[in-house]
Short mmCIF file of all heavy atoms in Angstrom, two decimals:
data_model
loop_
_atom_site.label_atom_id
_atom_site.label_comp_id
_atom_site.label_asym_id
_atom_site.label_seq_id
_atom_site.Cartn_x
_atom_site.Cartn_y
_atom_site.Cartn_z
N VAL A 24 0.82 -1.19 0.00
CA VAL A 24 0.00 0.00 0.00
C VAL A 24 0.87 1.26 0.00
O VAL A 24 0.61 2.18 -0.75
CB VAL A 24 -0.97 0.01 1.21
CG1 VAL A 24 -1.72 1.32 1.29
CG2 VAL A 24 -1.94 -1.14 1.12
N ALA A 25 1.90 1.25 0.83
CA ALA A 25 2.78 2.42 0.90
C ALA A 25 3.46 2.68 -0.44
O ALA A 25 3.57 3.84 -0.86
CB ALA A 25 3.82 2.24 2.00
N ALA A 26 3.88 1.63 -1.12
CA ALA A 26 4.54 1.80 -2.41
C ALA A 26 3.58 2.36 -3.45
O ALA A 26 3.95 3.21 -4.26
CB ALA A 26 5.12 0.46 -2.89
N LEU A 27 2.33 1.89 -3.43
CA LEU A 27 1.33 2.42 -4.36
C LEU A 27 1.03 3.88 -4.10
O LEU A 27 0.90 4.69 -5.03
CB LEU A 27 0.04 1.59 -4.27
CG LEU A 27 0.09 0.21 -4.90
CD1 LEU A 27 -1.20 -0.55 -4.60
CD2 LEU A 27 0.31 0.30 -6.39
N LEU A 28 0.88 4.24 -2.83
CA LEU A 28 0.66 5.64 -2.48
C LEU A 28 1.82 6.50 -2.94
O LEU A 28 1.63 7.59 -3.48
CB LEU A 28 0.46 5.80 -0.97
CG LEU A 28 -0.93 5.50 -0.45
CD1 LEU A 28 -0.94 5.55 1.07
CD2 LEU A 28 -1.95 6.46 -1.02
N ARG A 29 3.00 6.02 -2.70
CA ARG A 29 4.20 6.78 -3.09
C ARG A 29 4.21 7.02 -4.59
O ARG A 29 4.40 8.13 -5.06
CB ARG A 29 5.46 6.04 -2.65
CG ARG A 29 6.73 6.80 -2.92
CD ARG A 29 7.94 6.02 -2.36
NE ARG A 29 9.13 6.82 -2.29
CZ ARG A 29 9.89 7.10 -3.34
NH1 ARG A 29 9.56 6.66 -4.53
NH2 ARG A 29 10.96 7.84 -3.19
N ARG A 30 4.01 5.93 -5.37
CA ARG A 30 4.08 6.03 -6.82
C ARG A 30 2.92 6.81 -7.41
O ARG A 30 3.09 7.60 -8.35
CB ARG A 30 4.13 4.63 -7.43
CG ARG A 30 4.36 4.66 -8.94
CD ARG A 30 4.37 3.30 -9.54
NE ARG A 30 2.97 2.85 -9.59
CZ ARG A 30 2.60 1.60 -9.54
NH1 ARG A 30 3.49 0.65 -9.40
NH2 ARG A 30 1.32 1.27 -9.59
N ASN A 31 1.72 6.61 -6.89
CA ASN A 31 0.52 7.19 -7.50
C ASN A 31 0.07 8.51 -6.91
O ASN A 31 -0.75 9.20 -7.52
CB ASN A 31 -0.63 6.19 -7.43
CG ASN A 31 -0.38 4.97 -8.27
OD1 ASN A 31 0.18 5.07 -9.35
ND2 ASN A 31 -0.78 3.82 -7.78
N VAL A 32 0.57 8.87 -5.73
CA VAL A 32 0.13 10.11 -5.10
C VAL A 32 1.31 11.01 -4.75
O VAL A 32 1.40 12.13 -5.23
CB VAL A 32 -0.72 9.82 -3.83
CG1 VAL A 32 -1.11 11.12 -3.14
CG2 VAL A 32 -1.95 9.01 -4.18
N PHE A 33 2.21 10.51 -3.92
CA PHE A 33 3.27 11.37 -3.38
C PHE A 33 4.25 11.86 -4.44
O PHE A 33 4.58 13.05 -4.48
CB PHE A 33 4.01 10.67 -2.24
CG PHE A 33 3.12 10.28 -1.10
CD1 PHE A 33 3.19 9.02 -0.52
CD2 PHE A 33 2.18 11.16 -0.59
CE1 PHE A 33 2.35 8.66 0.52
CE2 PHE A 33 1.34 10.81 0.46
CZ PHE A 33 1.43 9.55 1.01
N ILE A 34 4.71 10.98 -5.31
CA ILE A 34 5.66 11.40 -6.36
C ILE A 34 5.00 12.38 -7.33
O ILE A 34 5.58 13.43 -7.65
CB ILE A 34 6.28 10.18 -7.06
CG1 ILE A 34 7.23 9.47 -6.08
CG2 ILE A 34 7.03 10.61 -8.32
CD1 ILE A 34 7.81 8.17 -6.59
N PRO A 35 3.77 12.09 -7.82
CA PRO A 35 3.13 13.07 -8.70
C PRO A 35 2.89 14.43 -8.03
O PRO A 35 3.08 15.47 -8.65
CB PRO A 35 1.80 12.41 -9.08
CG PRO A 35 2.07 10.96 -8.95
CD PRO A 35 3.01 10.83 -7.80
N ILE A 36 2.50 14.42 -6.77
CA ILE A 36 2.30 15.69 -6.07
C ILE A 36 3.63 16.42 -5.92
O ILE A 36 3.68 17.65 -6.09
CB ILE A 36 1.59 15.47 -4.72
CG1 ILE A 36 0.14 15.09 -4.97
CG2 ILE A 36 1.67 16.72 -3.84
CD1 ILE A 36 -0.64 14.70 -3.74
N LYS A 37 4.69 15.71 -5.65
CA LYS A 37 6.03 16.32 -5.56
C LYS A 37 6.41 16.94 -6.90
O LYS A 37 6.94 18.05 -6.96
CB LYS A 37 7.05 15.27 -5.12
CG LYS A 37 8.48 15.75 -5.15
CD LYS A 37 8.79 16.63 -3.97
CE LYS A 37 10.28 16.82 -3.80
NZ LYS A 37 10.75 18.09 -4.33
N SER A 38 6.11 16.24 -8.00
CA SER A 38 6.39 16.78 -9.33
C SER A 38 5.61 18.06 -9.58
O SER A 38 6.15 19.03 -10.12
CB SER A 38 6.04 15.76 -10.42
OG SER A 38 6.87 14.64 -10.35
N LEU A 39 4.34 18.07 -9.19
CA LEU A 39 3.53 19.28 -9.34
C LEU A 39 4.08 20.42 -8.49
O LEU A 39 4.16 21.57 -8.95
CB LEU A 39 2.08 19.01 -8.93
CG LEU A 39 1.23 18.22 -9.91
CD1 LEU A 39 -0.11 17.88 -9.28
CD2 LEU A 39 1.03 18.99 -11.19
N ALA A 40 4.47 20.11 -7.27
CA ALA A 40 5.02 21.14 -6.39
C ALA A 40 6.31 21.70 -6.97
O ALA A 40 6.52 22.92 -6.98
CB ALA A 40 5.26 20.57 -4.99
N ASP A 41 7.19 20.84 -7.47
CA ASP A 41 8.44 21.30 -8.07
C ASP A 41 8.16 22.18 -9.29
O ASP A 41 8.78 23.23 -9.47
CB ASP A 41 9.31 20.11 -8.48
CG ASP A 41 9.87 19.35 -7.30
OD1 ASP A 41 9.83 19.88 -6.16
OD2 ASP A 41 10.35 18.21 -7.51
N PHE A 42 7.22 21.75 -10.13
CA PHE A 42 6.87 22.51 -11.32
C PHE A 42 6.35 23.89 -10.96
O PHE A 42 6.76 24.90 -11.53
CB PHE A 42 5.82 21.74 -12.13
CG PHE A 42 5.40 22.44 -13.38
CD1 PHE A 42 6.12 22.31 -14.55
CD2 PHE A 42 4.26 23.24 -13.40
CE1 PHE A 42 5.72 22.95 -15.71
CE2 PHE A 42 3.85 23.89 -14.54
CZ PHE A 42 4.59 23.74 -15.70
N THR A 43 5.42 23.94 -10.00
CA THR A 43 4.85 25.24 -9.63
C THR A 43 5.88 26.13 -8.95
O THR A 43 5.88 27.35 -9.16
CB THR A 43 3.61 25.09 -8.73
OG1 THR A 43 3.94 24.33 -7.57
CG2 THR A 43 2.48 24.40 -9.48
N ASN A 44 6.79 25.56 -8.17
CA ASN A 44 7.87 26.36 -7.57
C ASN A 44 8.74 26.97 -8.64
O ASN A 44 9.13 28.14 -8.55
CB ASN A 44 8.71 25.51 -6.61
CG ASN A 44 8.01 25.24 -5.31
OD1 ASN A 44 7.14 25.99 -4.88
ND2 ASN A 44 8.38 24.14 -4.67
N GLN A 45 9.06 26.20 -9.67
CA GLN A 45 9.89 26.74 -10.75
C GLN A 45 9.12 27.79 -11.55
O GLN A 45 9.69 28.80 -11.95
CB GLN A 45 10.37 25.61 -11.64
CG GLN A 45 11.40 24.75 -10.95
CD GLN A 45 11.95 23.65 -11.83
OE1 GLN A 45 11.84 23.71 -13.05
NE2 GLN A 45 12.55 22.65 -11.22
N ALA A 46 7.82 27.56 -11.77
CA ALA A 46 7.01 28.53 -12.49
C ALA A 46 6.95 29.85 -11.73
O ALA A 46 7.05 30.93 -12.32
CB ALA A 46 5.61 27.98 -12.74
N VAL A 47 6.78 29.78 -10.42
CA VAL A 47 6.74 30.99 -9.60
C VAL A 47 8.07 31.73 -9.70
O VAL A 47 8.11 32.97 -9.67
CB VAL A 47 6.41 30.63 -8.13
CG1 VAL A 47 6.68 31.79 -7.20
CG2 VAL A 47 4.96 30.20 -8.02
N SER A 48 9.15 31.00 -9.89
CA SER A 48 10.47 31.61 -10.02
C SER A 48 10.72 32.16 -11.41
O SER A 48 11.80 32.68 -11.69
CB SER A 48 11.56 30.58 -9.68
OG SER A 48 11.44 30.17 -8.34
N GLY A 49 9.74 32.01 -12.31
CA GLY A 49 9.87 32.56 -13.65
C GLY A 49 10.28 31.56 -14.71
O GLY A 49 10.39 31.90 -15.87
N ARG A 50 10.51 30.33 -14.34
CA ARG A 50 10.90 29.30 -15.33
C ARG A 50 9.63 28.59 -15.81
O ARG A 50 9.27 27.54 -15.31
CB ARG A 50 11.89 28.32 -14.70
CG ARG A 50 13.21 29.00 -14.35
CD ARG A 50 14.22 28.03 -13.79
NE ARG A 50 13.76 27.42 -12.54
CZ ARG A 50 14.11 27.82 -11.33
NH1 ARG A 50 14.92 28.83 -11.18
NH2 ARG A 50 13.66 27.20 -10.25
N LEU A 51 9.00 29.19 -16.82
CA LEU A 51 7.71 28.70 -17.29
C LEU A 51 7.81 27.76 -18.48
O LEU A 51 6.84 27.14 -18.85
CB LEU A 51 6.81 29.88 -17.67
CG LEU A 51 6.46 30.83 -16.54
CD1 LEU A 51 5.77 32.07 -17.08
CD2 LEU A 51 5.59 30.13 -15.52
N GLY A 52 8.97 27.64 -19.08
CA GLY A 52 9.12 26.86 -20.30
C GLY A 52 9.33 25.38 -20.08
O GLY A 52 9.44 24.63 -21.04
N GLN A 53 9.38 24.95 -18.87
CA GLN A 53 9.65 23.54 -18.60
C GLN A 53 8.43 22.68 -18.86
O GLN A 53 7.32 23.16 -18.92
CB GLN A 53 10.09 23.37 -17.16
CG GLN A 53 8.97 23.73 -16.19
CD GLN A 53 9.38 23.63 -14.76
OE1 GLN A 53 10.29 22.93 -14.44
NE2 GLN A 53 8.69 24.35 -13.90
N GLU A 54 8.65 21.39 -19.02
CA GLU A 54 7.55 20.44 -19.21
C GLU A 54 7.29 19.69 -17.91
O GLU A 54 8.20 19.27 -17.23
CB GLU A 54 7.90 19.43 -20.30
CG GLU A 54 7.83 20.00 -21.70
CD GLU A 54 6.43 20.42 -22.08
OE1 GLU A 54 5.47 19.68 -21.80
OE2 GLU A 54 6.30 21.50 -22.66
N LEU A 55 6.04 19.53 -17.62
CA LEU A 55 5.62 18.78 -16.44
C LEU A 55 5.37 17.35 -16.86
O LEU A 55 4.61 17.10 -17.79
CB LEU A 55 4.35 19.39 -15.86
CG LEU A 55 3.76 18.74 -14.63
CD1 LEU A 55 4.74 18.80 -13.46
CD2 LEU A 55 2.48 19.44 -14.24
N PRO A 56 6.00 16.37 -16.21
CA PRO A 56 5.79 14.98 -16.60
C PRO A 56 4.37 14.51 -16.29
O PRO A 56 3.68 15.10 -15.47
CB PRO A 56 6.81 14.21 -15.76
CG PRO A 56 7.11 15.08 -14.61
CD PRO A 56 6.92 16.50 -15.09
N TYR A 57 3.96 13.41 -16.94
CA TYR A 57 2.65 12.82 -16.69
C TYR A 57 2.54 12.45 -15.22
O TYR A 57 3.46 11.90 -14.64
CB TYR A 57 2.46 11.58 -17.57
CG TYR A 57 1.16 10.88 -17.30
CD1 TYR A 57 -0.03 11.40 -17.80
CD2 TYR A 57 1.12 9.71 -16.56
CE1 TYR A 57 -1.24 10.76 -17.55
CE2 TYR A 57 -0.08 9.06 -16.32
CZ TYR A 57 -1.25 9.59 -16.80
OH TYR A 57 -2.43 8.97 -16.55
N CYS A 58 1.40 12.74 -14.62
CA CYS A 58 1.22 12.53 -13.18
C CYS A 58 0.17 11.47 -12.85
O CYS A 58 0.09 11.03 -11.72
CB CYS A 58 0.85 13.84 -12.49
SG CYS A 58 2.15 15.04 -12.52
N GLY A 59 -0.66 11.08 -13.78
CA GLY A 59 -1.63 10.01 -13.54
C GLY A 59 -2.99 10.47 -13.05
O GLY A 59 -3.07 11.31 -12.17
N HIS A 60 -4.04 9.93 -13.62
CA HIS A 60 -5.44 10.04 -13.22
C HIS A 60 -5.88 11.44 -12.81
O HIS A 60 -5.68 12.38 -13.55
CB HIS A 60 -5.75 9.02 -12.13
CG HIS A 60 -5.33 7.63 -12.50
ND1 HIS A 60 -5.88 6.95 -13.55
CD2 HIS A 60 -4.39 6.82 -11.97
CE1 HIS A 60 -5.30 5.77 -13.65
NE2 HIS A 60 -4.39 5.65 -12.72
N GLU A 61 -6.49 11.56 -11.65
CA GLU A 61 -7.03 12.85 -11.21
C GLU A 61 -5.93 13.89 -11.05
O GLU A 61 -6.12 15.07 -11.34
CB GLU A 61 -7.79 12.72 -9.90
CG GLU A 61 -9.09 11.96 -10.00
CD GLU A 61 -8.91 10.46 -9.87
OE1 GLU A 61 -7.77 9.99 -9.66
OE2 GLU A 61 -9.92 9.74 -9.98
N ILE A 62 -4.79 13.44 -10.61
CA ILE A 62 -3.67 14.37 -10.46
C ILE A 62 -3.26 14.90 -11.83
O ILE A 62 -2.86 16.05 -11.96
CB ILE A 62 -2.49 13.70 -9.72
CG1 ILE A 62 -2.92 13.39 -8.28
CG2 ILE A 62 -1.25 14.58 -9.74
CD1 ILE A 62 -1.93 12.59 -7.49
N GLU A 63 -3.41 14.09 -12.87
CA GLU A 63 -3.10 14.55 -14.22
C GLU A 63 -4.03 15.66 -14.65
O GLU A 63 -3.62 16.57 -15.36
CB GLU A 63 -3.15 13.39 -15.21
CG GLU A 63 -2.85 13.79 -16.64
CD GLU A 63 -1.49 14.44 -16.83
OE1 GLU A 63 -0.56 14.15 -16.05
OE2 GLU A 63 -1.36 15.27 -17.75
N GLN A 64 -5.28 15.65 -14.21
CA GLN A 64 -6.20 16.75 -14.53
C GLN A 64 -5.67 18.05 -13.93
O GLN A 64 -5.69 19.10 -14.58
CB GLN A 64 -7.59 16.46 -14.00
CG GLN A 64 -8.30 15.37 -14.77
CD GLN A 64 -9.67 15.08 -14.18
OE1 GLN A 64 -9.80 14.88 -12.99
NE2 GLN A 64 -10.67 15.08 -15.04
N ILE A 65 -5.22 17.98 -12.71
CA ILE A 65 -4.64 19.17 -12.07
C ILE A 65 -3.38 19.59 -12.81
O ILE A 65 -3.18 20.77 -13.12
CB ILE A 65 -4.33 18.89 -10.58
CG1 ILE A 65 -5.62 18.61 -9.82
CG2 ILE A 65 -3.56 20.07 -9.96
CD1 ILE A 65 -5.39 18.05 -8.43
N ALA A 66 -2.53 18.63 -13.14
CA ALA A 66 -1.29 18.92 -13.86
C ALA A 66 -1.58 19.56 -15.21
O ALA A 66 -0.91 20.51 -15.61
CB ALA A 66 -0.47 17.64 -14.03
N SER A 67 -2.59 19.05 -15.91
CA SER A 67 -2.95 19.61 -17.21
C SER A 67 -3.37 21.07 -17.07
O SER A 67 -2.95 21.92 -17.87
CB SER A 67 -4.08 18.78 -17.82
OG SER A 67 -4.48 19.33 -19.05
N ASN A 68 -4.17 21.37 -16.07
CA ASN A 68 -4.59 22.76 -15.85
C ASN A 68 -3.40 23.64 -15.49
O ASN A 68 -3.33 24.80 -15.93
CB ASN A 68 -5.64 22.82 -14.76
CG ASN A 68 -6.96 22.23 -15.20
OD1 ASN A 68 -7.25 22.16 -16.39
ND2 ASN A 68 -7.76 21.79 -14.25
N ILE A 69 -2.48 23.12 -14.73
CA ILE A 69 -1.29 23.89 -14.37
C ILE A 69 -0.45 24.14 -15.62
O ILE A 69 0.09 25.24 -15.81
CB ILE A 69 -0.48 23.19 -13.26
CG1 ILE A 69 -1.27 23.23 -11.95
CG2 ILE A 69 0.89 23.82 -13.09
CD1 ILE A 69 -0.69 22.38 -10.84
N ARG A 70 -0.31 23.13 -16.49
CA ARG A 70 0.43 23.32 -17.75
C ARG A 70 -0.19 24.45 -18.57
O ARG A 70 0.51 25.30 -19.12
CB ARG A 70 0.40 22.04 -18.58
CG ARG A 70 1.32 20.97 -18.14
CD ARG A 70 1.32 19.81 -19.16
NE ARG A 70 1.88 18.64 -18.56
CZ ARG A 70 1.18 17.62 -18.08
NH1 ARG A 70 -0.13 17.63 -18.16
NH2 ARG A 70 1.80 16.59 -17.55
N ILE A 71 -1.52 24.43 -18.68
CA ILE A 71 -2.22 25.46 -19.45
C ILE A 71 -1.96 26.84 -18.85
O ILE A 71 -1.64 27.79 -19.57
CB ILE A 71 -3.72 25.16 -19.53
CG1 ILE A 71 -3.96 23.91 -20.39
CG2 ILE A 71 -4.50 26.35 -20.07
CD1 ILE A 71 -5.36 23.34 -20.27
N MET A 72 -2.08 26.95 -17.54
CA MET A 72 -1.83 28.25 -16.89
C MET A 72 -0.40 28.71 -17.11
O MET A 72 -0.16 29.90 -17.39
CB MET A 72 -2.14 28.16 -15.40
CG MET A 72 -3.62 28.08 -15.09
SD MET A 72 -4.00 28.18 -13.32
CE MET A 72 -3.30 26.67 -12.71
N ALA A 73 0.56 27.80 -17.02
CA ALA A 73 1.96 28.17 -17.21
C ALA A 73 2.20 28.65 -18.64
O ALA A 73 2.89 29.65 -18.86
CB ALA A 73 2.87 26.99 -16.88
N ARG A 74 1.61 27.96 -19.64
CA ARG A 74 1.76 28.39 -21.03
C ARG A 74 1.15 29.76 -21.25
O ARG A 74 1.73 30.61 -21.92
CB ARG A 74 1.12 27.37 -21.97
CG ARG A 74 2.05 26.27 -22.35
CD ARG A 74 1.46 25.39 -23.46
NE ARG A 74 1.44 24.04 -22.93
CZ ARG A 74 0.37 23.31 -22.72
NH1 ARG A 74 -0.82 23.75 -23.03
NH2 ARG A 74 0.46 22.10 -22.22
N GLU A 75 -0.03 29.97 -20.66
CA GLU A 75 -0.69 31.28 -20.82
C GLU A 75 0.11 32.38 -20.15
O GLU A 75 0.21 33.49 -20.69
CB GLU A 75 -2.11 31.22 -20.28
CG GLU A 75 -3.03 30.38 -21.15
CD GLU A 75 -4.42 30.20 -20.58
OE1 GLU A 75 -4.68 30.64 -19.44
OE2 GLU A 75 -5.27 29.61 -21.29
N LEU A 76 0.68 32.11 -19.00
CA LEU A 76 1.53 33.10 -18.34
C LEU A 76 2.77 33.41 -19.18
O LEU A 76 3.17 34.56 -19.31
CB LEU A 76 1.95 32.61 -16.95
CG LEU A 76 0.89 32.66 -15.87
CD1 LEU A 76 1.37 31.92 -14.63
CD2 LEU A 76 0.55 34.10 -15.53
N GLU A 77 3.37 32.36 -19.73
CA GLU A 77 4.55 32.56 -20.57
C GLU A 77 4.19 33.39 -21.81
O GLU A 77 4.92 34.31 -22.18
CB GLU A 77 5.14 31.21 -20.98
CG GLU A 77 6.46 31.34 -21.71
CD GLU A 77 7.10 29.99 -21.94
OE1 GLU A 77 6.40 28.96 -21.93
OE2 GLU A 77 8.31 29.98 -22.16
N ASP A 78 3.07 33.07 -22.45
CA ASP A 78 2.63 33.85 -23.61
C ASP A 78 2.38 35.30 -23.23
O ASP A 78 2.77 36.22 -23.97
CB ASP A 78 1.36 33.25 -24.21
CG ASP A 78 1.59 31.90 -24.86
OD1 ASP A 78 2.76 31.52 -25.10
OD2 ASP A 78 0.58 31.20 -25.12
N ALA A 79 1.74 35.53 -22.10
CA ALA A 79 1.47 36.90 -21.65
C ALA A 79 2.77 37.65 -21.37
O ALA A 79 2.90 38.82 -21.73
CB ALA A 79 0.60 36.88 -20.40
N ARG A 80 3.73 36.96 -20.76
CA ARG A 80 5.00 37.62 -20.47
C ARG A 80 5.72 37.99 -21.77
O ARG A 80 6.27 39.08 -21.88
CB ARG A 80 5.90 36.72 -19.63
CG ARG A 80 7.16 37.43 -19.25
CD ARG A 80 8.12 36.75 -18.35
NE ARG A 80 7.89 35.36 -18.10
CZ ARG A 80 8.65 34.64 -17.30
NH1 ARG A 80 9.65 35.20 -16.68
NH2 ARG A 80 8.42 33.37 -17.11
N ARG A 81 5.68 37.11 -22.77
CA ARG A 81 6.30 37.42 -24.06
C ARG A 81 5.62 38.63 -24.71
O ARG A 81 6.29 39.50 -25.28
CB ARG A 81 6.21 36.22 -24.99
CG ARG A 81 7.19 35.14 -24.67
CD ARG A 81 7.13 34.05 -25.73
NE ARG A 81 7.91 32.92 -25.31
CZ ARG A 81 7.55 31.67 -25.46
NH1 ARG A 81 6.40 31.36 -26.06
NH2 ARG A 81 8.33 30.69 -25.07
N GLU A 82 4.29 38.66 -24.63
CA GLU A 82 3.55 39.78 -25.21
C GLU A 82 3.91 41.09 -24.52
O GLU A 82 4.10 42.12 -25.17
CB GLU A 82 2.04 39.50 -25.11
CG GLU A 82 1.19 40.45 -25.88
CD GLU A 82 1.34 40.30 -27.38
OE1 GLU A 82 1.69 39.22 -27.87
OE2 GLU A 82 1.10 41.31 -28.08
N ILE A 83 4.02 41.08 -23.22
CA ILE A 83 4.42 42.28 -22.48
C ILE A 83 5.81 42.73 -22.89
O ILE A 83 6.05 43.92 -23.09
CB ILE A 83 4.33 42.03 -20.96
CG1 ILE A 83 2.86 41.92 -20.54
CG2 ILE A 83 5.05 43.12 -20.17
CD1 ILE A 83 2.66 41.40 -19.12
N GLU A 84 6.73 41.77 -23.04
CA GLU A 84 8.09 42.11 -23.47
C GLU A 84 8.08 42.73 -24.86
O GLU A 84 8.84 43.66 -25.13
CB GLU A 84 9.00 40.88 -23.42
CG GLU A 84 9.32 40.42 -22.03
CD GLU A 84 10.02 41.48 -21.19
OE1 GLU A 84 10.92 42.18 -21.71
OE2 GLU A 84 9.65 41.63 -20.01
N LYS A 85 7.23 42.21 -25.76
CA LYS A 85 7.12 42.80 -27.09
C LYS A 85 6.62 44.22 -27.01
O LYS A 85 7.12 45.12 -27.71
CB LYS A 85 6.17 41.96 -27.96
CG LYS A 85 6.81 40.70 -28.50
CD LYS A 85 5.82 39.83 -29.25
CE LYS A 85 5.15 40.53 -30.38
NZ LYS A 85 4.25 39.64 -31.16
N TRP A 86 5.61 44.47 -26.15
CA TRP A 86 5.09 45.83 -26.00
C TRP A 86 6.14 46.77 -25.46
O TRP A 86 6.24 47.91 -25.87
CB TRP A 86 3.88 45.84 -25.08
CG TRP A 86 2.65 45.19 -25.64
CD1 TRP A 86 2.39 44.88 -26.95
CD2 TRP A 86 1.52 44.77 -24.89
NE1 TRP A 86 1.17 44.29 -27.05
CE2 TRP A 86 0.60 44.20 -25.81
CE3 TRP A 86 1.20 44.79 -23.55
CZ2 TRP A 86 -0.63 43.68 -25.42
CZ3 TRP A 86 -0.04 44.28 -23.18
CH2 TRP A 86 -0.92 43.72 -24.08
N LYS A 87 6.94 46.29 -24.51
CA LYS A 87 7.99 47.12 -23.93
C LYS A 87 9.02 47.52 -24.98
O LYS A 87 9.54 48.62 -24.95
CB LYS A 87 8.69 46.38 -22.79
CG LYS A 87 7.90 46.30 -21.52
CD LYS A 87 8.69 45.57 -20.44
CE LYS A 87 7.95 45.45 -19.14
NZ LYS A 87 8.73 44.71 -18.15
N LYS A 88 9.29 46.60 -25.92
CA LYS A 88 10.29 46.86 -26.95
C LYS A 88 9.69 47.66 -28.11
O LYS A 88 10.42 48.12 -28.97
CB LYS A 88 10.86 45.55 -27.49
CG LYS A 88 11.69 44.82 -26.47
CD LYS A 88 12.18 43.50 -27.03
CE LYS A 88 12.98 42.75 -25.99
NZ LYS A 88 13.43 41.44 -26.48
N GLY A 89 8.36 47.81 -28.11
CA GLY A 89 7.70 48.59 -29.16
C GLY A 89 7.47 47.85 -30.44
O GLY A 89 7.32 48.44 -31.50
N ASP A 90 7.44 46.51 -30.37
CA ASP A 90 7.22 45.71 -31.59
C ASP A 90 5.77 45.69 -31.98
O ASP A 90 4.85 45.67 -31.31
CB ASP A 90 7.69 44.26 -31.37
CG ASP A 90 9.20 44.18 -31.27
OD1 ASP A 90 9.87 45.12 -31.72
OD2 ASP A 90 9.70 43.16 -30.76
#
């Protein structure tokens, strides 16, 4: 049971936490690995948010440069 929890819950949650910590630090271009089942739904939403934030940041940089 402990091994299943570790593989199916704890490791995926750790991956999500690492991904969000890096995103908060400004590293939005990274890929989040597959996390499995319901956790994958959360991961997918986080991926979408990170991509949208990265796109918005690029757009702001373009505006700043006057492009």
Side-chain angles (χ1 to χ4, degrees):
V24 174
L27 286 173
L28 278 173
R29 184 176 194 282
R30 186 182 75 208
N31 294 323
V32 177
F33 301 134
I34 290 174
I36 289 174
K37 173 76 166 100
S38 294
L39 285 172
D41 291 345
F42 180 86
T43 57
N44 285 335
Q45 290 183 19
V47 167
S48 297
R50 295 182 298 262
L51 298 171
Q53 65 183 337
E54 285 296 316
L55 180 62
Y57 176 76
C58 294
H60 308 296
E61 291 86 2
I62 294 174
E63 180 58 28
Q64 289 178 310
I65 296 168
S67 178
N68 290 337
I69 291 171
R70 282 187 197 102
I71 291 167
M72 288 187 293
R74 273 189 237 118
E75 289 175 355
L76 285 170
E77 187 173 21
D78 291 346
R80 185 176 11 182
R81 284 186 189 139
E82 190 69 26
I83 290 169
E84 289 301 318
K85 282 175 57 176
W86 290 344
K87 285 181 180 178
K88 292 178 182 178
D90 290 341

